[in-house]
Amino acid sequence: MSVFSSCLGHPRIGANRELKRALESHWSGKSGAAELAAVARQLRQKHWRSMKGAGIDIVPSNDFSLYDHVLDTAVLAGAVPERFRRIDDPLARYFAMARGLQDGAHGIDLEALEMTKWFDTNYHYIVPELEPDQSFALDASKPLSELGEARALGIETRPVLLGPVSFLILAKWARYRGMGRHRLELLPDLLPVYEALFAKLHAEGVGEVQLDEPCLVQDLDGRTGAAFVEAFQRLGGLKLRPRLAVTTYFESAADRVTLFASSGCDSLHIDLATAPEQLDAVVEGLASHQTLSLGVVDGRNVWRADLDRAHALVRRAIARLGAGRVVVAPSCSLLHAPVDLAGEHGLDVELLSFCAFARQKLGEVVALARSAGEHRPDSPPFKASRSALTARQTSTRTRNAAVRARAEAVRPELLSRQSPFTVRQTAQRERFALPRLPTTTIGSFPQTAEVRAARADARAGRLAAEAYREFLRRETR
């Protein structure tokens, strides 16, 4: 007995950062739109074939992006701020929204849309801007085009869409607009875009759509909860639509399962890497026709999964729901993971044995799906997982005796300050001699042309290692 396996999204950048190089070439004017489109198409095809070749049953499409999937959703829904609408070329307009556009010769100075963190990950998304009189209009060209690309390869895919409620929650009002109004008031105007898109996808013979609603598992006030109910019931109640697979991640969905069970949606994905304790409550709360996607392989880190632990969760779900209602998947999109360990030539064998990048995580998902009917799998992936976990638990890389001894020596009295704040403040000022307004950096310094040139020279061997380090020290100062 086995169950279906799925991938919620593949890394976009390419195993050798092909997308990054193609984008920088295009932005610098060295290559045109056709060259960029060709690289993007090649990457998508490579990723679809890779997922299918790994044995993934449910392969995503529309998970690829030239910049950001939230920005893609704004374009799909026609939520393009007025200042960008005078740019006729769609690709130029898209990048202007992402990066801004300055052209002194033509008097153009367009400020980019805001960028902010995607929940508690290191990924950043482009924040859509909404007007109080915002209107929406469907542009289905991207999801339909990528669907067709995959079918030309003989691969059937599940289109990935950011859901309407999360889209509005993640957006913001344009500056000085919409004050005092809730963005979710726009939901009745946005839902027809999704209804029209679902109708098009149904007409194209799409069997299922992945509807990402990560905000469903956040704290919900009454208005937000009502918005999810409205969206799910309207979209789930459509007669001509694909199956709706609602995807959550990064938090527990246990408190939302009643809301989901009463909707017309067909499948729910939960993140068991972050919140494994939610499984029983979610299983208990699902409606009898709904399936459950189990995110048992962590999509956010670079470490091998504990396949035995993940297998136990899969078996527990099957015991309650049956194999036909269970899907095995990564916890979230693999966007957050590097692509393939095969490209890592600078890591030693021990460290490599601890790791799993996106391609290896797909293998873990498939191994779990295919072993779902076994009591204690003994296939090579499970043996390798056990061996690596045992080695990692005893490695000096993960076990520092001095640190552990110091941690064990902590006593309650060490958890309380021994002097008042005014005393500590004076001592700190004397020791560090900080200026009135001390500042620091978070993240990186700007990647100037000089820094890029020096880095290229160092990699090519034209600049000695010590000279490069001295250059970096000087630039940092």
Side-chain angles (χ1 to χ4, degrees):
M1 176 186 67
S2 63
V3 299
F4 282 124
S5 60
S6 78
C7 176
L8 306 187
H10 194 280
R12 306 159 183 166
I13 196 169
N16 297 303
R17 302 200 295 177
E18 295 93 328
L19 180 59
K20 179 178 184 292
R21 290 200 298 271
L23 286 169
E24 290 177 345
S25 176
H26 177 72
W27 292 336
S28 67
K30 296 177 181 178
S31 62
E35 291 88 346
L36 177 60
V39 171
R41 184 167 54 252
Q42 291 165 6
L43 283 173
R44 288 192 293 267
Q45 293 176 357
K46 184 177 181 180
H47 298 162
W48 287 322
R49 287 182 170 129
S50 176
M51 288 184 278
K52 201 65 180 176
I56 294 294
D57 298 306
I58 303 172
V59 174
S61 62
N62 200 46
D63 57 322
F64 181 87
S65 178
L66 288 175
Y67 204 95
D68 167 55
H69 61 280
V70 184
L71 177 60
D72 294 343
T73 307
V75 172
L76 178 146
V80 177
E82 183 179 2
R83 65 182 180 276
F84 299 104
R85 293 176 199 161
R86 57 174 165 158
I87 303 175
D88 294 329
D89 178 63
L91 184 62
R93 182 169 59 243
Y94 177 85
F95 286 135
M97 293 168 68
R99 307 174 71 237
L101 180 62
Q102 286 73 43
D103 184 348
H106 296 86
I108 298 175
D109 185 8
L110 297 177
E111 179 184 356
L113 297 179
E114 180 184 329
M115 177 182 285
T116 194
K117 282 176 69 70
W118 177 251
F119 299 91
D120 61 346
T121 73
N122 287 330
Y123 180 77
H124 286 66
Y125 75 94
I126 299 295
V127 181
E129 284 185 12
L130 305 173
E131 299 283 351
D133 59 349
Q134 181 73 52
S135 62
F136 299 101
L138 174 63
D139 178 358
S141 56
K142 183 178 183 295
L144 292 178
S145 174
E146 294 185 17
L147 178 70
E149 284 181 26
R151 283 179 168 175
L153 301 175
I155 299 175
E156 199 63 35
T157 59
R158 178 173 70 178
V160 179
L161 301 168
L162 178 61
V165 180
S166 291
F167 173 77
L168 291 175
I169 292 173
L170 294 169
K172 71 171 190 176
W173 292 115
R175 190 175 300 173
Y176 310 125
R177 310 287 180 87
M179 300 303 179
R181 295 186 61 200
H182 201 295
R183 296 183 300 281
L184 290 175
E185 293 180 26
L186 298 175
L187 183 63
D189 301 313
L190 178 59
L191 285 176
V193 168
Y194 282 81
E195 292 169 337
L197 177 56
F198 288 174
K200 286 181 177 291
L201 294 173
H202 178 269
E204 290 290 331
V206 172
E208 186 171 82
V209 169
Q210 177 182 318
L211 195 69
D212 284 7
E213 285 287 7
C215 293
L216 177 62
V217 294
Q218 294 186 307
D219 291 338
L220 304 183
D221 57 23
R223 180 191 291 273
T224 309
F228 275 114
V229 170
E230 178 183 1
F232 288 161
Q233 290 185 347
R234 276 188 60 172
L235 298 178
L238 295 173
K239 293 183 179 180
L240 300 178
R241 63 165 177 82
R243 283 173 46 88
L244 292 187
V246 174
T247 304
T248 66
Y249 33 80
F250 305 151
E251 295 287 349
S252 170
D255 294 338
R256 309 290 176 256
V257 67
T258 301
L259 181 157
F260 178 80
S262 62
S263 74
C265 300
D266 304 287
S267 178
L268 177 66
H269 172 85
I270 57 175
D271 181 347
L272 293 176
T274 299
E277 69 282 354
Q278 67 179 305
L279 177 59
D280 291 335
V282 172
V283 166
E284 183 67 27
L286 285 180
S288 60
H289 71 281
Q290 293 172 329
T291 61
L292 183 61
S293 171
L294 308 175
V296 289
V297 172
D298 197 329
R300 296 177 57 176
N301 65 25
V302 297
W303 308 116
R304 278 181 180 268
D306 182 340
L307 292 187
D308 287 324
R309 179 175 174 274
H311 178 260
L313 293 171
V314 174
R315 294 274 293 176
R316 194 192 312 173
I318 290 175
R320 301 280 295 277
L321 298 175
R325 294 177 61 195
V326 172
V327 176
V328 176
S331 61
C332 60
S333 169
L334 296 178
L335 161 70
H336 310 284
V339 178
D340 188 2
L341 276 176
E344 295 298 322
H345 305 296
L347 299 181
D348 63 69
V349 174
E350 182 189 37
L351 189 54
L352 279 173
S353 72
F354 300 163
C355 296
F357 290 178
R359 186 163 293 177
Q360 289 71 43
K361 290 177 184 293
L362 292 175
E364 292 176 331
V365 168
V366 171
L368 288 163
R370 292 177 176 174
S371 67
E374 302 176 30
H375 176 66
R376 179 174 169 78
D378 208 29
S379 61
F382 278 81
K383 290 180 179 178
S385 171
R386 292 169 193 140
S387 176
L389 288 172
T390 299
R392 186 179 173 191
Q393 289 167 358
T394 57
S395 171
T396 55
R397 281 186 155 120
T398 62
R399 297 293 186 274
N400 186 312
V403 171
R404 289 175 176 269
R406 187 172 182 183
E408 292 170 359
V410 171
R411 298 292 179 265
E413 57 269 20
L414 297 179
L415 304 179
S416 300
R417 301 288 189 183
Q418 303 300 307
S419 56
F421 171 74
T422 53
V423 174
R424 300 197 309 274
Q425 183 184 47
T426 300
Q428 289 167 357
R429 285 176 173 170
E430 291 176 354
R431 176 176 177 181
F432 296 113
L434 295 175
R436 181 181 294 275
L437 295 174
T439 61
T440 185
T441 62
I442 51 175
S444 309
F445 285 108
Q447 302 296 297
T448 64
E450 293 78 10
V451 169
R452 292 181 186 276
R455 181 188 302 146
D457 287 343
R459 288 176 174 171
R462 295 186 296 268
L463 185 63
E466 181 53 38
Y468 181 50
R469 284 192 290 271
E470 177 54 34
F471 167 80
L472 293 179
R473 284 192 287 266
R474 187 169 64 252
E475 286 294 306
T476 301
R477 287 194 296 270

